[in-house]
Each structure stands twice: as C-alpha cells, then as structure tokens.
Amino acid sequence: MTVSVTLPALGESVTEGTVTRWLKQVGERVESDEPLLEVSTDKVDTEIPSPAGGVLLEITVAEDETVEVGARLGVIGAPEAVPPAAPTPVPEAPQAVSEPVLPVASAFPEPAAPAPAPTAASAPAVAAGQTSAAGPPVAPPAPATAASSLRGRTVPMTRIRRAIGENLKKALHEQAQLTSTIEVDVTRLMRPRNRTEDAFLAREGHKLSPLPFFIKAAAQALKAHPVVNARINEAQGTISYFDTENVGIAVDTESGPMTPVLRAAGDLTVTGLARAVHDLADRARSGHLTPDDVSGATFTISDTGSRGVLFETVIVPPNQAAILGVGTTVRRPEVVRSGDEEVIGVRDMVHLSLSYDHRLVDGADAARYLTAVRAILESGVIENDL
C-alpha cells in the first residue's frame, strides 16, 4: 500500500508553493508526522510532515519546482516496496606491466630555508601609535571579520525574498509614507527589567528583552489613537478602525525578515507578551510558522535596536497605517529635573520612529501617538505588569 504526499492548503489566499528542500531522499525511512520536505509560499516557509510511516519511494516534485495546492509531491510506501539496487559492475583488473623507474626532476624548486624569526631582544619594541625607524605610526590591528561564503557568487532569488521585495515595492508605490522620530528616557523601564532579569530567566527559561515593554506601551497607546491602527479600503472609499491590536513583530531569519503576529497584544501582560514573542521568534527561525501566524496584523513593530541601530525609517507594510521602529538603548548624560533644579544624570535613552501612511495619518496624529507611547514608557507603570 502506498500513500501520496500532497501539497496541503497553507492559508486562505495561498494557491501554490515551491519545494525548497527535501529532508528525506528516496529509499530513506520516515515516521508519520516527521518533517519530510520544506515548502516556500509568498507568505511563509514551512515544513510538510509525512502523512504516514514507511519509506520514501518516489519524489515527483524536485527542489525549486512550483506546484499548486493538492499536487502530488512524492509517494510513501512499505519498506519491501523499495526496488533493489542494481549491482555495481566490478571492472576487470588490468595486468601489471613492469616499467623501469626513472628519476624525475621536481617541477618546483626546493624552498629556501626560512630565516630565523626575530626575538624580543633583537626586534625593537614599538608601541601602538609611535613612529618606528622603518615608517609611520603602527595602528592597532582591526577586528577579525570572517569572509562571507556569498562573495563572488550568483544565486537564484528565493521565493520568500521575491515576495518580500514585491510587498515592499507595493507599499512604497501605493502609500504616501512619512517618518516621525521621538526620543524617550527609558531609565525607569530598564532598572526593573535589569533587576528581574535573572529571576525571569529562571522562571521562564528565556531572557527578558526590552521588546515586550515597547510592545505593551505601543499597544496601549493604539487604544487611544485608533487612527494609527487602521486601514484604508480604497475600492470602497472607506477607513476601518480596528478594535483589537494585532501587532506584527519583525523577526530576522536566514530566509529574510518574517513578521508573525501577536493577536490582541493590547490585552496581554508584559510576561505574556515576552512568552508569545519568544515562541513566535523561535518558530520563525526554525521554519515552523503557519500562514495564519503571519496574517491579520493591524500594526507592526520593528526592533531595529537589537542589532545596534540608533533609529531607522522603517517601511509601512501593505494594508496597514503605520509601523513603529525601536532603536537601540544608549546610556548617556542627560539634563534631568531633581525637584526645582536641573542636574546632569546618566540615563537610558532610545529613539522611536513611526513611519505612517500620510493619506490617513497626519503629522499631528503621529506626534500625539508617539507622545502617548513616551508617556507610558517614562511613567514606570509598566514595571508593575511583570
């Protein structure tokens, strides 16, 4: 008995997929529900599990081929159905022929004996930045950087990379995008986060990053500023203001940025957000997201600061009104008020950049939203939400 492996429906609007990698080869055993191959769609890369246990008898769709939903990808059968391999012919050994051995001159000259390395006593010491007798000041060595394996190569553009590019072009072409930036003092946020970091790691099994705090503040502010959490319906000439905060979070993966969605983020605690972010990011990087995981976002947050970026003009995704970019947190001296006086203190500062569709969101709307996010973050109220 054999079982066909078919391309399942991978989302409401997904009609086809591209086989990117077979995880098993013909003749290999596979268990039921064990990942069998990887498929890429215009929304997500995902693994297709084996529908039955047995042996992979046939692969009908090769890697990099695109087929429609329902197409047969391969065949699973019983181990005894594997055709026996044809015996490999053994070539007849040639008869040995006795040949005289002649001396052969080397094609390369013998290397000269290396000169002895200079010792500390024989070489004059030259401190970094000083001028030696042989030349200009000696600069300290640059940090070692490993060369990428992509240098000098031309490779096919993956389906997910093409989809990302098309979506970004579509967004820039159809929207009037603008970016506003604000600076926020998050010292009152970082202190409790740093105090509870070890306890959180011991309890939850993963680190507590600053991102859930920013998601919490951003989602809370969306409730008071729905113009930023909206969508233009061009065909109908209407605007939809959402009553829930489904926040997409940009995750860096080997295939490119993926944006899984935190549903009803405005109703979650910081701890709940941290758990959801950790789960979605892990599944995004391991290729286990489903199309439902990456659909339905009403607003997006991009944590550009996790890579050390100060701030960025992030691109608003299609069918959304805005996206918030969170920059890296920097400790630096700032003027702060202490009672009736102004003093210099060391503070944790961060830039928040809101890119928005100017057809729907005015500059004053963006300023009001960013100011609301800043007020929530600087108030310290979120620290009670852990």
Side-chain angles (χ1 to χ4, degrees), residues 195-204:
R195 283 199 307 268
T196 59
E197 189 174 14
D198 291 341
F200 186 91
L201 175 61
R203 184 179 75 242
E204 302 291 334

Side-chain angles (χ1 to χ4, degrees), residues 175 228 230-231 246 248 259 297-300 316-323 357:
Q175 298 180 3
V228 186
R231 175 178 300 160
N246 292 338
T259 312
T298 62
F299 183 83
T300 297
V316 184
N319 299 319
Q320 295 180 38
I323 179 174
D357 186 349

